[in-house]
Amino acid sequence: MIRHEHHTIEQRARRLHERFEALYGHRPEGVWQAPGRVNLIGEHTDYNLGYVLPFAIDRQTLIAVRRVDPDAAHADEIALASTMDASGDVPEVTRMRLADLAPGTPGGWAAYPAAVSHVLATEYAGRICGFDLLVDSTVPVGSGLSSSHALEVATIVALNELFHLGIDAERMVRLTQRAENDFVGAPTGIMDQSASLLSQAGHALFLDCRSFASRAVPLPLTARGLNVLVIDTRVAHALVDGGYAQRRASCEAAAARLGVSSLREIDEVHLLDELVEPLRRRARHIVSENGRVLRTVQALECGDLNLVGQLLTESHASMRDDYEISCPELDLAVSSALDAGALGARMTGGGFGGSAIALIDESVRPQVESAIRRAFDRAGYAEPGIFVVAPAQGAGRV
Ligand code: ADP
Ligand code: MG
């Protein structure tokens, strides 16, 4: 795989133009980008209609697209290719008629852009036709930084503009959620695509998943000499199976027992005492996590980054002990980062693998990194990927 991290988005877009032309024999009509995200705090709260505080990262999925001539014989054919899915330098192309798209067809990575195309073809029948598409991404795949939503969001912003669909951001969030839930089969909420669509550079996105109200909260990392470090444990997380759906079901069961429409309606943990275990602990994570998101927003507004760090660490303990979605590698990433001087650390994303984040002073970065690497090596774990992320701008045309 070619690494692009040191290239600007514009440089990558130009290269993608060339590769598109080499692959399809004509130029794309444009290039769109959508970033991956980390969640600063507020985990598994989105589908409980609670609060989240993610930010878009400076790693993006780029897609180049050209509409098929509507009078052509293959006017409803879509062609999907990714630079990641290339033998040598030439990506494999998956071709399908829009009318033939269905859950499971196509499978693999092409399911994501196909899912979005299918949802749009259903909702906006007669208004979209075939297209050629080429993807290039610097969002690590399967690391919990939401490369899947970056791909879906890049697809929807491109198709929305090219086919003049006039879809607003909130509806794009709903449509990509439906694409991922019904077509890909991952029962995810609305946080990831909201972060990718709505984030502002230098800010985190405070989102109320019940009202969909959102606000950009300044995240003064550079100004304060801080870094957010991502530690990719290389443990594959798989949202389509097991744990995630089970946790979701537990929350629904807890809300039903308590007679509320969602756990968002509960704001005091003692109200959960009537629940049986493990439902009580599951619900306690959601209720306490909502409180921590609100306190993190306040702490950021007061510029108290030490308190932000502390809240991140509390959030991790809650996910490890109450929600039970961590794993030994994530716990080790967090504990070794804290031991080496991080202000706070937690797993981020759906859990059961993927990545952790650590809020650190940039002066201690070398020792935090080597402490984590040493700890992983001693435990016999695979070498983690460690890199800094910055809060970046949400999706749009390049
Ligand atoms: P995450 O979203 O945390 O990265 P997921 O398992 O939800 O992990 O999604 C990863 C999947 O997204 C990959 O297995 C692949 O199918 C698809 N994907 C994401 N980005 C790309 C890309 N640039 N090219 C091809 N497939 C991609
Ligand atoms: Mg994903």
Side-chain angles (χ1 to χ4, degrees):
M1 196 177 87
I2 302 166
R3 296 184 65 82
H4 298 280
E5 275 94 280
H6 53 291
H7 292 140
T8 65
I9 295 183
E10 290 71 23
Q11 286 169 330
R12 285 175 55 207
R14 271 197 295 280
R15 174 82 183 111
L16 192 60
H17 257 265
E18 288 161 16
R19 293 190 74 174
F20 186 99
E21 203 170 353
L23 183 65
Y24 291 117
H26 47 218
R27 295 185 67 74
E29 292 179 270
V31 174
W32 288 260
Q33 67 86 17
R37 62 99 190 91
V38 296
N39 189 16
L40 192 59
I41 195 161
E43 216 65 78
H44 285 254
T45 45
D46 64 342
Y47 56 79
N48 287 293
L49 306 186
Y51 303 111
V52 294
L53 191 64
F55 63 87
I57 58 174
D58 49 346
R59 293 182 172 231
Q60 313 80 6
T61 296
L62 261 50
I63 70 168
V65 188
R66 180 184 191 88
R67 288 168 294 172
V68 171
D69 174 357
D71 298 324
H74 59 289
D76 93 327
E77 190 179 271
I78 64 172
L80 307 171
S82 167
T83 57
M84 245 181 43
D85 192 21
S87 48
D89 207 36
V90 186
E92 302 265 341
V93 181
T94 300
R95 291 181 192 278
M96 301 269 312
R97 294 179 55 233
L98 275 171
D100 294 338
L101 299 176
T105 327
W109 78 270
Y112 296 93
V116 171
S117 309
H118 176 69
V119 166
L120 292 182
T122 311
E123 286 292 309
Y124 299 89
R127 293 179 60 186
I128 86 165
C129 66
F131 54 84
D132 295 337
L133 180 152
L134 178 62
V135 181
D136 177 67
S137 185
T138 51
V139 185
V141 166
S143 302
L145 304 184
S146 217
S147 70
S148 60
H149 280 103
L151 184 49
E152 288 164 337
V153 168
T155 305
I156 202 166
V157 285
L159 299 184
N160 183 39
E161 189 173 329
L162 280 175
F163 293 109
H164 311 288
L165 302 177
I167 309 172
D168 66 23
E170 179 169 350
R171 189 157 159 76
M172 281 200 250
V173 166
R174 301 286 173 206
L175 292 173
T176 49
Q177 182 186 23
R178 204 196 303 164
E180 178 128 350
N181 290 178
D182 298 350
F183 198 100
V184 178
T188 50
I190 64 165
M191 172 177 67
D192 299 347
Q193 58 278 59
S194 299
S196 183
L197 271 162
L198 303 172
S199 290
Q200 290 180 24
H203 295 72
L205 181 77
F206 175 41
L207 174 67
D208 179 338
C209 299
R210 183 172 66 187
S211 67
F212 203 79
S214 68
R215 179 155 64 84
V217 180
L219 190 58
L221 298 176
T222 322
R224 300 289 291 269
L226 299 174
N227 283 163
V228 170
L229 206 60
V230 170
I231 304 115
D232 177 359
T233 63
R234 315 275 193 204
V235 178
H237 72 112
L239 296 183
V240 180
D241 38 66
Y244 189 97
Q246 262 176 25
R247 292 302 180 279
R248 218 181 151 138
S250 297
C251 292
E252 281 159 19
R257 296 259 174 97
L258 295 164
V260 291
S261 53
S262 76
L263 289 177
R264 165 62 184 279
E265 307 307 318
I266 311 278
D267 48 19
E268 307 251 356
V269 286
H270 71 84
L271 298 172
L272 307 172
D273 288 346
E274 66 186 81
L275 294 172
V276 294
E277 294 296 359
L279 286 195
R280 191 179 69 94
R281 275 180 294 135
R282 302 290 186 258
R284 186 168 61 188
H285 165 69
I286 301 302
V287 172
S288 65
E289 185 80 349
N290 278 328
R292 280 186 292 272
V293 176
L294 296 176
R295 283 154 63 208
T296 303
V297 171
Q298 279 173 2
L300 282 172
E301 281 166 349
C302 303
D304 188 348
L305 275 300
N306 284 311
L307 180 54
V308 171
Q310 214 173 300
L311 289 160
L312 299 189
T313 306
E314 283 174 25
S315 168
H316 185 77
S318 176
M319 291 187 284
R320 183 191 58 210
D321 304 335
D322 277 356
Y323 218 54
E324 296 183 272
I325 54 171
S326 189
C327 65
E329 292 84 352
L330 285 167
D331 291 341
L332 187 62
V334 167
S335 63
S336 48
L338 290 172
D339 290 346
L343 273 57
R346 63 188 283 278
M347 53 148 278
T348 187
F352 309 104
S355 298
I357 55 170
L359 180 65
I360 61 169
D361 195 286
E362 62 192 4
S363 65
V364 299
R365 181 176 164 191
Q367 66 236 45
V368 172
E369 273 201 45
S370 57
I372 298 168
R373 288 188 194 288
R374 259 200 321 276
F376 270 59
D377 186 48
R378 238 184 275 127
Y381 297 157
E383 195 186 341
I386 304 181
F387 50 93
V388 169
V389 290
Q393 189 64 29
R397 190 167 188 150
V398 178

